[in-house]
Amino acid sequence: MLRTQQLEYTYSGNKTIRFPDIHCEKGSQWLLLGQSGTGKTTLLHLIGGIRKPQKGKVFVADQVLNNLSSTALDQFRGKNIGIVFQQSHFVQSLTVGENLQLAQTLAGHSADLDRIKDLLNRLNIVDKINDRTNRLSQGEQQRVAIARALVNSPGLILADEPTSALDDENCREVIALLETQAKEEGATLVIVTHDSRLKEFFDHKIILE
Amino acid sequence: MNPLTLSWKNQKDRPLQMLLTLLLFGLGVGLIALLISLNTQLDEKFKNNLAGIDLVIGAKGSPLQMILSSMYHIDAPTGNISIKEVKPFLNPKHPLVKLAVPLSLGDSYKSFRIIGTTHEYVDSIFKGSVATGKRWEGLYEVTIGATVASKTSLKIGDQFHSSHGFADDGINTHDHGDGFKVVGILNKSNTVLDQLILTNTQSVWAVHDHEEEEKKAPEEATKEDHAHDHPHDHEDHADHDHSGHDHGDHEGHDHDAHDHSDHHAAASIVKPLTDYPDKDITTLLVRYRSKKDWRALNMPRSINENTDLQAASPAIEMNRLYSMMGVGTDALRNLALIIVIVSGLSIFISLFSSLKDRKYELALMRVMGASRNYLFFLIILEGLLFAILGYLLGLFLCHTGMSLLSGYLEEAYQYEFSGWRFFKEELWLLGGSLVIGFVAALIPAFQAYRTDISETLTTY
């Protein structure tokens, strides 16, 4: 599902990071660990098609991301990769439901309210569908972010420090949700974190040094 | 979620900012549209009322005032001229003059002016026609314009007393017997004719002669605004053939200084004006036989230089007025343009500052599959949305403003103005608004286009 080959990224300050090759099977769940400054977020952006590497290749669902044009990459990312960020950001002027609809239409799908309701139901926040996102608590916002990452049934779900702002209880809950939902959708899950609380939940680990 | 809905929701999320920007844009557009509407309608009305009149002859004074008072009926007349002086022009065989129509002003009813004239004023000059009843014939008979009829609800057979001057103050009301009698109503002509009460010249004289007679003590405080300055030395009335007149009716009156021919008796026989050389009229409207005749072109100068009369060309005077007013309208138009430009700037600032807040949002939309072009298009759409809404607000302001103004303008200019007439210039205005909205959104849109997703997502 996800494969990298000799990835290298050079920052504008001429600092170059070489990343270990990764190979994640379809449906597998991975933890990408490392202290800050080891290029975790950069790697996540590289495999998410948000940033282009200077060297090496990224394969997602057998597609080489490097070869895609900017617009094609945007479309591919929208359809096949769901990303949950550390801070949950949304389009402020839209409600929870509208944000999810936007994710569907931007990826080139038509809006599917049943799918949205089903997802929100599974994440236990279906009653917030018509709320503005800034009215929600941190935990609720993170759930909406998960719902948004899942809404287009992507093959690959990436999560960037999804738990660092959460307390232990919320942390466990969010990880459990990510795990079960990814499993249910048959998606590959890669969580980037420096949060050592998560180590116990995952068998597959990639460690950056 | 289509881009239009999204851009609308984005703007609606900042209602105060949006309101301010829209208001500014609307004011600019509204002011320009109002100027267009006002200018076009004024221009039309003035042109309509030129009615092929080549020359106006009246008393010396301001030529523009003379034109305004006798062509458009908006200013006070410059004074009176005696028939003796203009007799040559009234001669139907005059080599240069095809048509000469006398006007006598001075009275009004409910601020509608009463004009003493001949039937040619309706038939030849304005090509007006009678809707009901007939044209005035005898003394004190009047035919009224369509607007007069609808505003005063005068009907055929109604009688009224006129007031002196043009203000409806109820102070200087003439009180002579039965007063004027309505015998006909004209069709609407969209000219000044609609606003006038027409009668024959003799009726206007008659009203004033009565007043003179009844006013024994000459404490004529209102004399100044009398358009009709009736000379008291009517000695040469003896020259006239008034044999048919019956003076019997007037035994109650004091005829000491006056030897008036009896106007009541003239009710049935209205004689040509040239039979009253010592009577006054206000102006004479002249149409040349040929506009290209050099003698005709020299006529105004020769009148102005060699006689006590004043001659002025309506076209020249109105052009002079336009060029004077033009400075004012130009200034207003420039002001409106500045407002529109500032509002364009405020669209730019509004989009630019909102973009700063929405930078992360935009990066997020890219992550969700939006292309660079989509974001560019989205911001341009927001600019156009402002422009269209501002334009609509502007049109609304303009047309409501115009219909509110029209009442006041009608009083001031004696014309009806419509607030709900639309001009093709307003389409140009829409084009201009869209261009401004587009240009204002261009830089913010380009900014959005260039958003670096990765950097934005890590920095914010």
Side-chain angles (χ1 to χ4, degrees), chain A residues 130-183:
Chain A
N130 289 323
D131 284 13
R132 288 296 194 86
T133 50
N134 54 9
R135 294 273 189 81
L136 305 179
S137 71
Q138 284 266 324
E140 287 167 339
Q141 285 188 10
Q142 204 57 296
R143 286 166 201 230
V144 178
I146 293 171
R148 188 176 58 199
L150 290 165
V151 74
N152 292 319
S153 311
L156 177 63
I157 295 168
L158 304 175
D160 185 11
E161 304 276 12
T163 56
S164 62
L166 302 177
D167 58 32
D168 287 354
E169 196 183 324
N170 267 313
C171 168
R172 259 197 303 279
E173 211 171 310
V174 163
I175 288 304
L177 282 173
L178 272 172
E179 270 190 300
T180 50
Q181 296 308 324
K183 204 164 278 170

Side-chain angles (χ1 to χ4, degrees), chain B residues 77-117:
Chain B
T78 46
N80 285 324
I81 52 178
S82 73
I83 289 186
K84 199 162 49 190
E85 290 174 290
V86 294
K87 204 168 175 176
F89 304 110
L90 291 169
N91 179 358
K93 294 203 177 78
H94 192 287
L96 302 175
V97 175
K98 187 179 174 191
L99 183 71
V101 178
L103 291 188
S104 294
L105 281 70
D107 271 21
S108 66
Y109 172 68
K110 293 194 173 165
S111 74
F112 290 105
R113 294 190 179 194
I114 297 170
I115 313 294
T117 183

Side-chain angles (χ1 to χ4, degrees), chain B residues 87-254:
Chain B
K87 204 168 175 176
F89 304 110
L90 291 169
N91 179 358
K93 294 203 177 78
H94 192 287
L96 302 175
V97 175
K98 187 179 174 191
L99 183 71
V101 178
L103 291 188
S104 294
L105 281 70
D107 271 21
S108 66
Y109 172 68
K110 293 194 173 165
S111 74
F112 290 105
R113 294 190 179 194
I114 297 170
I115 313 294
T117 183
T118 60
H119 289 170
E120 284 167 326
Y121 189 62
V122 177
D123 303 341
S124 305
I125 292 187
F126 288 114
K127 313 260 187 287
S129 55
V130 175
T132 47
K134 56 170 187 144
R135 288 175 303 186
W136 67 97
E137 297 287 348
L139 212 55
Y140 295 127
E141 286 187 353
V142 298
T143 303
I144 61 178
T147 309
V148 181
S150 64
K151 290 277 161 73
T152 60
S153 53
L154 281 174
K155 298 178 302 294
I156 290 174
D158 283 356
Q159 297 195 332
F160 63 89
H161 294 287
S162 59
S163 348
H164 206 85
F166 302 126
D168 182 24
D169 49 19
I171 295 169
N172 295 312
T173 308
H174 292 299
D175 194 13
H176 57 83
D178 294 337
F180 288 106
K181 185 176 177 206
V182 180
V183 296
I185 297 171
L186 296 174
N187 278 317
K188 198 163 177 62
S189 63
N190 285 320
T191 63
V192 73
L193 210 54
D194 297 341
Q195 310 265 351
L196 298 177
I197 298 171
L198 302 164
T199 182
N200 51 40
T201 312
Q202 287 85 346
S203 303
V204 174
W205 292 338
V207 176
H208 288 91
D209 289 347
H210 268 278
E211 192 180 57
E212 302 283 315
E213 288 159 21
E214 282 155 14
K215 226 178 241 169
K216 280 182 207 164
E219 28 129 59
E220 290 147 284
T222 55
K223 189 81 184 174
E224 278 145 346
D225 56 48
H226 277 213
H228 289 268
D229 188 10
H230 300 281
H232 286 237
D233 52 341
H234 286 197
E235 297 101 333
D236 54 2
H237 272 212
D239 301 347
H240 301 287
D241 177 22
H242 293 314
S243 54
H245 291 186
D246 179 9
H247 290 250
D249 301 350
H250 281 262
E251 267 160 16
H253 290 289
D254 189 349

Side-chain angles (χ1 to χ4, degrees), chain A residues 7 9 33 40 50 80 85 87 89 94 97 99 158 160 162 170 179 181 208:
Chain A
L7 269 187
Y9 189 81
L33 287 158
K40 289 189 311 280
I50 292 172
N80 300 293
F85 294 99
Q87 293 283 330
H89 283 276
L94 302 181
N99 262 287
L158 304 175
D160 185 11
N170 267 313
E179 270 190 300
Q181 296 308 324
L208 296 183

Side-chain angles (χ1 to χ4, degrees), chain A residues 97 100-101 104 109-123 126 129 146-154 157 181-182 184-187:
Chain A
L100 296 179
Q101 279 181 44
Q104 288 178 325
H109 300 298
S110 50
D112 181 353
L113 210 59
D114 291 335
R115 165 77 178 156
I116 291 168
K117 279 186 182 152
D118 176 48
L119 261 178
L120 291 177
N121 206 15
R122 273 149 58 188
L123 295 166
V126 74
I129 188 163
I146 293 171
R148 188 176 58 199
L150 290 165
V151 74
N152 292 319
S153 311
I157 295 168
Q181 296 308 324
E184 219 159 292
E185 302 282 332

Side-chain angles (χ1 to χ4, degrees), chain B residues 226-346:
Chain B
H226 277 213
H228 289 268
D229 188 10
H230 300 281
H232 286 237
D233 52 341
H234 286 197
E235 297 101 333
D236 54 2
H237 272 212
D239 301 347
H240 301 287
D241 177 22
H242 293 314
S243 54
H245 291 186
D246 179 9
H247 290 250
D249 301 350
H250 281 262
E251 267 160 16
H253 290 289
D254 189 349
H255 285 254
D256 48 2
H258 299 269
D259 182 21
H260 284 285
S261 26
D262 192 340
H263 303 290
H264 281 173
S268 46
I269 330 143
V270 175
K271 300 197 288 181
L273 292 182
T274 41
D275 286 3
Y276 310 88
D278 292 301
K279 285 291 193 181
D280 286 342
I281 58 169
T282 310
T283 48
L284 200 62
L285 307 180
V286 172
R287 195 179 282 172
Y288 297 142
R289 285 190 194 277
S290 161
K291 288 186 211 301
K292 296 197 179 90
D293 194 327
W294 63 272
R295 287 174 304 169
L297 295 177
N298 274 339
M299 204 164 86
R301 204 182 57 196
S302 122
I303 292 173
N304 287 330
E305 284 174 3
N306 305 327
T307 68
D308 288 334
L309 301 171
Q310 170 177 248
S313 146
I316 291 172
E317 293 306 318
M318 289 323 287
N319 279 340
R320 215 158 62 86
L321 182 65
Y322 279 149
S323 62
M324 286 191 286
M325 286 198 316
V327 179
T329 38
D330 281 355
L332 266 178
R333 191 172 304 206
N334 289 339
L335 181 75
L337 270 180
I338 289 171
I339 294 179
V340 168
I341 289 168
V342 169
S343 65
L345 208 65
S346 98

